[in-house]
Amino acid sequence: ILDALPYVDMVHEDYESYALALVEEEMKKIKPRPLIKETQITTRPQSTILKTELEFIASGQERPTVIGASDVHAPTSMEEWKECIKIARAEYEA
């Protein structure tokens, strides 16, 4: 059994305009900073994989669809998990 009523905080009707006036007053005190022009970011990839990926993105090509992705299933037994980890480690170290 609930024996409490919802709490409603009474807010003065001029509260929002008062808060906005305070913000405006504070903004007048702050010096405007000059805008920094956007520059094109240049990168020098240190790996061939990253270089290839950046070139692919710059070319605007669509990613190829992975064939057979629907055939992949999540491991269900401990042995399948261990085999997946073994394969992942071998791919990582290669």
Side-chain angles (χ1 to χ4, degrees):
I1 294 180
L2 295 175
D3 60 352
L5 296 173
Y7 174 76
V8 177
D9 197 11
M10 298 302 291
V11 178
H12 192 273
E13 60 188 39
D14 294 331
Y15 179 75
E16 186 175 352
S17 60
Y18 172 69
L20 290 173
L22 288 176
V23 170
E24 287 295 324
E25 183 180 327
E26 189 68 26
M27 293 298 288
K28 289 177 184 175
K29 294 178 184 178
I30 299 173
K31 285 185 180 180
R33 294 182 286 168
L35 294 176
I36 299 171
K37 291 184 180 179
E38 287 187 31
T39 58
Q40 185 174 357
I41 298 172
T42 55
T43 58
R44 284 180 265 159
Q46 297 179 1
S47 71
T48 55
I49 295 172
L50 182 56
K51 182 179 178 183
T52 306
E53 184 65 19
L54 290 173
E55 288 171 356
F56 181 81
I57 292 169
S59 72
Q61 298 176 18
E62 274 193 43
R63 293 258 177 225
T65 306
V66 178
I67 299 171
S70 61
D71 298 339
V72 178
H73 69 280
T76 55
S77 67
M78 187 56 78
E79 290 76 26
E80 288 179 350
W81 276 107
K82 287 180 182 179
E83 184 63 26
C84 288
I85 292 171
K86 181 180 171 183
I87 292 169
R89 282 186 179 152
E91 289 176 355
Y92 177 72
E93 292 171 359

